[in-house]
Amino acid sequence: MAKKIKGPQLIIANRLDDGRVVFMTPDGNWTADVARAAVADTPEGVEELEAKASISEKNNLVVDPQAVPAEDQNGAFPAHMKQAMQAKGPSVRPDLGYQVSHTWETNASEGN
Amino acid sequence: MYAYDTFDRNIIDARVAEFRDQVERRMKGELTEEEFRPLRLMNGLYLQLHAYMLRVAVPYGTMSSKQMHRLADIATKYDKGYGHFTTRQNIQYNWPKLVETPDILTELAEVEMHAHQTSGNCIRNTTTDQFAGATRDEVEDPRPYAELIRQWSTFHPEFSFLPRKFKIAITGAGQDRAAVKWHDIGLILRKNDAGETGFEVIVGGGMGRTPVIGKTIREFLPEADLLSYLEAILRVYNEQGRRDNKYKARIKILVEALGAEEYARLTEAEWQKIKDQHIDVPAEEVARIKAFFTPPPLPVLSDDVPAVDEFANQNFIFKTWLDNNTNPHKVLGHVNVTISLKPHDGIPGDATDEQMHLVADLAEKYSQSEIRVSHEQNLILPHVAKQDLVEIWKILDANGLGSANVGLLTDMIVCPGMDYCALANARSIPIGQAIADRFDDIRRLQDIGPLKLKISGCINSCGHHHAGHIGILGVDRRGEENYQISLGGSGAEDATKAALLGPGFDEHGIVDAVEKVVAVYLGEREEGEEFLATYRRIGAAPFKEAVYDAD
Ligand code: HEM
Ligand code: SF4
């Protein structure tokens, strides 16, 4: 995953078992709620996140984790179009993507 | 309809069991993603933008009510209540879980369906005319040959790892509804002077970043030699096709490099070596397969059904639907009904589980329990008695499936684009929807007449934009979605490549550009002339002027 780091980054991946888009949280877990994603501002910070991500990859939790540019939109959000789409779900089905279900996802992972 | 024998059954059951084991090993970490990826692709499973995507084959576009009900059930149980019908007579599910995919494949296998040959560098499932075996303008039903090709190519050991994916299309009709000249191999059923059946063989067509129209390498191949000849074509490709560069690996590049004549010569030479090796199946086997495609026993009825005409006279929408959405059937008094999956505000090609059940029910009642999928992302009820049309239309219309726009501007092919696809550069669906919104009036559409608009979200051209009378290609311009317009393409028997008109537009500009193109056509057309004919007559200049110089 080594590459030139420009600006803040977050880690995006697909979960292995169901394929859903997830983001790495500061404690090295994964969430479908992009607002809870860890953001690293320095190359060292990004490397640290990447190291954690590659452990998750080796443990067969996620597929293809990548550090991608992030920006602040009342919380972390991917800066580029493709990952923004991944964070939101299909723009043509607002009844489906994470707009709707990440609330459920977040709650579920928090045990309520 | 083709029914599996024990051999077919065993093959697909074994394959599902094998994949179940592979998924378990992947979950346990016994297989890495790198090892697993080609295995899941062989079973139609991709990893896309939001989730896994499962692509299920509808071989030669024909399925039964029972199979359609099963597709609907899978959408309900394992997905989010819908599926997407594609240009390759497949259905794609956008949200299956990896761990449930073996169960989905098991449920598909129970109704003789599978996801083989829907991805990977193999011979993909053969596509054909959606009206095959039912249309009036046909030499012969192409589906038995498509089934033969399926049996020959499924898991063909020599052709499981080709330089690149390989697509074959076949048509038996005078009007090409299968875009055969845009395929790696295109086959057209023909009769020779002696009245024998054979094929015109076309090779080296394809879209993507290098669009090429296939070239005829044999005017007439006797029916009995089909498989050995295909084997010879593929051998030449498998041996000489480029493997060093993914973008130059398709057969079209090899055919361009060698020239079609040389390709034909190499094929003939290879064929002489293998044609007596019993690759071709004996006539009895061909007859056995053909027997599955015997036309249903339909009563010959009158083509004049006054009750239908009367209703059409009172109801403009029904009349338009009748004009656009029905195709003459072989048997008098019958038609093939196209159900438009391009409703207003819809997503081209999407069908909900409820709609799939409804279509399956209609097929049980009105079309011999048979359903077709077209490469233009619509569903078809073949073998419908004309006298049932009013009733069918009323049911469709009440359920949001009554769009009368088949063949018109809003009956567009649209790829998933960046709303779903990991390879996309721009969204396609919202552009399609915005254009459909602008051209919402069916009277205006009907006045514009036949016009094929096709949209792709990247150069891979899944939306066939190269073959669009109006083609739209989404590109990424410094992080912004940008849309290029091209004109004059055709996917029919007069296949042509659309030509780029000029610089691209943003998402609003592209809708205006389409509107301006249509306005030029309306101003310039001669009596009875369709869009493509006008474009071919007057050329790109007037369109360019209107689109780029107007303000
Ligand atoms: C969303 C998942 C999809 C992915 C990842 C995908 C991928 C690709 C790629 C990589 C190519 C270029 C192949 C080449 O030139 O070698 C391609 C071509 C094509 N795809 Fe897709 N596709 C997807 C969905 C679809 C859909 C939904 C359709 C139909 C609506 C479709 C139909 C086609 C067709 C007709 C071509 C043109 C083949 C040719 O002649 O070159 N694909 N696709
Ligand atoms: S044309 Fe591009 S964006 Fe559209 S489905 Fe194909 S690969 Fe994806």
Side-chain angles (χ1 to χ4, degrees):
Chain A
M1 281 189 292
K3 60 170 165 283
K4 49 197 175 335
I5 306 294
K6 277 206 213 112
Q9 306 267 314
L10 54 76
I11 308 274
I12 190 168
N14 292 83
R15 216 157 37 197
L16 174 66
D17 61 349
D18 64 358
R20 300 241 350 213
V21 174
V22 284
F23 305 90
M24 181 175 265
T25 59
D27 57 5
N29 285 320
W30 296 91
T31 175
D33 180 3
V34 63
R36 296 174 59 216
V39 177
D41 287 315
T42 61
E44 298 74 37
V46 174
E47 264 172 41
E48 212 171 291
L49 290 183
E50 285 181 329
K52 281 188 203 162
S54 94
I55 292 172
S56 289
E57 196 180 13
K58 286 208 184 76
N59 289 335
N60 308 304
L61 294 175
V62 297
V63 181
D64 200 19
Q66 293 177 52
V68 299
E71 58 186 30
D72 190 357
Q73 290 188 7
N74 301 320
F77 203 78
H80 291 173
M81 196 164 49
K82 192 166 281 183
Q83 290 102 30
M85 198 68 80
Q86 288 183 291
K88 285 191 238 176
S91 70
V92 289
R93 289 295 301 264
D95 58 324
L96 289 186
Y98 307 107
Q99 308 94 316
V100 191
S101 54
H102 83 72
T103 335
W104 171 82
E105 192 77 29
T106 313
N107 290 343
S109 67
E110 285 167 3
N112 25 323
Chain B
M1 197 165 304
Y2 185 72
Y4 285 3
D5 58 19
T6 327
F7 186 66
D8 297 317
R9 233 315 27 99
N10 290 345
I11 288 187
I12 70 165
D13 289 349
R15 182 62 172 262
V16 174
E18 181 185 58
F19 188 56
R20 189 177 292 282
D21 180 55
Q22 288 162 345
V23 170
E24 276 165 22
R25 283 157 62 207
R26 175 72 188 102
M27 290 307 299
K28 283 193 228 147
E30 291 167 19
L31 291 172
T32 64
E33 185 60 18
E34 217 170 35
E35 290 163 336
F36 181 61
R37 186 183 301 112
L39 304 176
R40 71 164 151 73
L41 287 175
M42 279 181 196
N43 290 281
L45 192 66
Y46 288 75
L47 185 53
Q48 280 301 327
L49 212 51
H50 309 292
Y52 290 98
M53 181 271 277
L54 181 69
R55 188 181 283 162
V56 177
V58 181
Y60 31 87
T62 300
M63 67 185 138
S64 65
S65 288
K66 188 176 165 195
Q67 291 173 322
M68 182 64 117
H69 279 306
R70 184 58 59 93
L71 292 179
D73 290 339
I74 287 169
T76 312
K77 192 165 160 191
Y78 299 104
D79 209 86
K80 295 187 185 242
Y82 72 106
H84 178 75
F85 288 97
T86 83
T87 48
R88 304 222 67 258
Q89 299 181 310
N90 295 317
I91 179 170
Q92 292 184 178
Y93 293 106
N94 288 302
W95 309 89
K97 297 181 168 74
L98 171 64
V99 288
E100 290 181 351
T101 309
D103 296 336
I104 303 178
L105 294 177
T106 302
E107 295 200 17
L108 287 169
E110 285 166 7
V111 294
E112 307 194 338
M113 296 188 90
H114 57 70
H116 309 152
Q117 297 175 286
T118 62
S119 56
N121 293 338
C122 63
I123 301 174
R124 299 289 184 89
N125 61 312
T126 300
T127 51
T128 189
D129 184 353
Q130 67 271 23
F131 302 137
T135 186
R136 216 167 269 183
D137 71 332
E138 185 172 83
V139 170
E140 217 180 292
D141 187 345
R143 292 172 304 162
Y145 305 102
E147 175 57 31
L148 259 179
I149 294 170
R150 187 171 82 93
Q151 297 194 8
W152 159 77
S153 61
T154 307
F155 315 138
H156 192 307
E158 190 177 330
F159 304 137
S160 296
F161 299 95
L162 291 166
R164 205 68 183 85
K165 57 165 118 172
F166 200 92
K167 300 173 179 179
I168 304 176
I170 174 168
T171 178
Q175 200 183 333
D176 177 7
R177 287 172 286 256
V180 300
K181 292 181 186 170
W182 284 105
H183 283 74
D184 296 284
I185 296 179
L187 298 168
I188 305 177
L189 271 160
R190 300 239 184 260
K191 294 265 187 215
N192 66 7
D193 293 342
E196 296 152 340
T197 304
F199 308 90
E200 179 182 338
V201 182
I202 299 160
V203 299
M207 299 201 189
R209 69 182 61 213
T210 318
V212 182
I213 292 164
K215 294 171 189 68
T216 299
I217 61 166
R218 206 169 212 277
E219 294 289 345
F220 190 84
L221 175 75
E223 149 187 65
D225 297 321
L226 177 64
L227 297 185
S228 57
Y229 200 80
L230 292 181
E231 184 119 351
I233 296 174
L234 270 134
R235 282 217 167 152
V236 174
Y237 168 58
N238 202 21
E239 217 172 292
Q240 301 201 25
R242 287 181 63 165
R243 286 182 150 86
D244 59 324
N245 181 339
K246 188 177 161 183
Y247 302 114
K248 298 193 169 161
R250 300 287 297 264
I251 192 176
K252 64 190 171 189
I253 305 291
L254 183 62
V255 173
E256 293 277 282
L258 296 172
E261 269 174 35
E262 176 63 5
Y263 205 96
R265 196 190 63 75
L266 291 170
T267 299
E268 294 285 332
E270 182 63 32
W271 187 50
Q272 290 308 324
K273 284 192 242 160
I274 62 173
K275 75 199 236 311
D276 300 319
Q277 287 176 359
H278 310 294
I279 296 162
D280 286 301
V281 297
E284 310 85 75
E285 177 61 8
V286 176
R288 188 188 74 89
I289 291 177
K290 279 189 180 173
F292 288 108
F293 297 92
T294 310
L298 301 176
V300 175
L301 304 168
S302 169
D303 252 352
D304 296 318
V305 186
V308 170
D309 295 338
E310 243 164 70
F311 189 72
N313 284 335
Q314 295 156 16
N315 188 319
F316 176 79
I317 303 290
F318 175 73
K319 181 175 186 321
T320 311
W321 182 82
L322 207 56
D323 288 345
N324 296 327
N325 296 37
T326 63
N327 162 278
H329 195 278
K330 273 186 179 160
V331 180
L332 277 186
H334 293 78
V335 292
N336 303 299
V337 168
T338 300
I339 301 170
S340 169
L341 290 183
K342 326 292 169 66
H344 184 70
D345 282 342
I347 293 177
D350 272 13
T352 65
D353 41 9
E354 283 168 15
Q355 288 174 330
M356 287 188 247
H357 282 305
L358 179 85
V359 172
D361 287 339
L362 284 174
E364 257 156 58
K365 192 155 176 212
Y366 299 106
S367 69
Q368 312 286 324
S369 292
E370 214 181 298
I371 300 149
R372 309 291 181 81
V373 188
S374 74
H375 92 270
E376 290 179 316
Q377 304 185 281
N378 292 319
L379 296 174
I380 287 91
L381 301 174
H383 323 304
V384 169
K386 273 192 162 178
Q387 61 208 24
D388 294 330
L389 285 173
V390 174
E391 209 171 317
I392 292 175
W393 176 76
K394 282 182 179 166
I395 297 170
L396 289 173
D397 196 42
N399 288 280
L401 289 170
S403 293
N405 60 354
V406 168
L408 305 182
L409 188 149
T410 55
D411 178 19
M412 40 184 115
I413 295 179
V414 182
C415 86
M418 205 185 280
D419 281 300
Y420 291 98
C421 176
L423 304 173
N425 286 324
R427 285 174 299 164
S428 315
I429 299 165
I431 302 306
Q433 289 174 324
I435 294 170
D437 238 1
R438 187 74 67 88
F439 291 89
D440 187 28
D441 180 1
I442 189 73
R443 286 170 203 271
R444 183 176 173 212
L445 284 172
Q446 187 69 357
D447 177 42
I448 295 166
L451 204 169
K452 295 194 188 290
L453 191 142
K454 309 184 191 225
I455 311 177
S456 303
C458 83
I459 196 65
N460 285 327
S461 324
C462 303
H464 282 199
H465 66 280
H466 296 298
H469 299 171
I470 299 179
I472 295 174
L473 168 65
V475 298
D476 177 338
R477 226 183 56 175
R478 285 174 255 113
E480 301 284 328
E481 293 165 301
N482 188 267
Y483 298 92
Q484 297 180 342
I485 186 165
S486 50
L487 299 180
S490 165
E493 57 284 358
D494 59 350
T496 43
K497 244 185 315 195
L500 184 66
L501 197 64
F505 301 89
D506 68 9
E507 57 183 309
H508 306 294
I510 188 66
V511 184
D512 293 336
V514 170
E515 180 127 45
K516 287 174 189 166
V517 164
V518 171
V520 170
Y521 156 65
L522 292 177
E524 297 282 339
R525 71 174 163 189
E526 288 174 354
E527 186 67 26
E529 203 175 45
E530 295 179 1
F531 177 85
L532 189 58
T534 304
Y535 173 82
R536 285 175 174 168
R537 180 171 56 79
I538 69 177
F543 294 97
K544 205 177 226 170
E545 201 174 307
V547 168
Y548 295 103
D549 297 344
D551 40 40

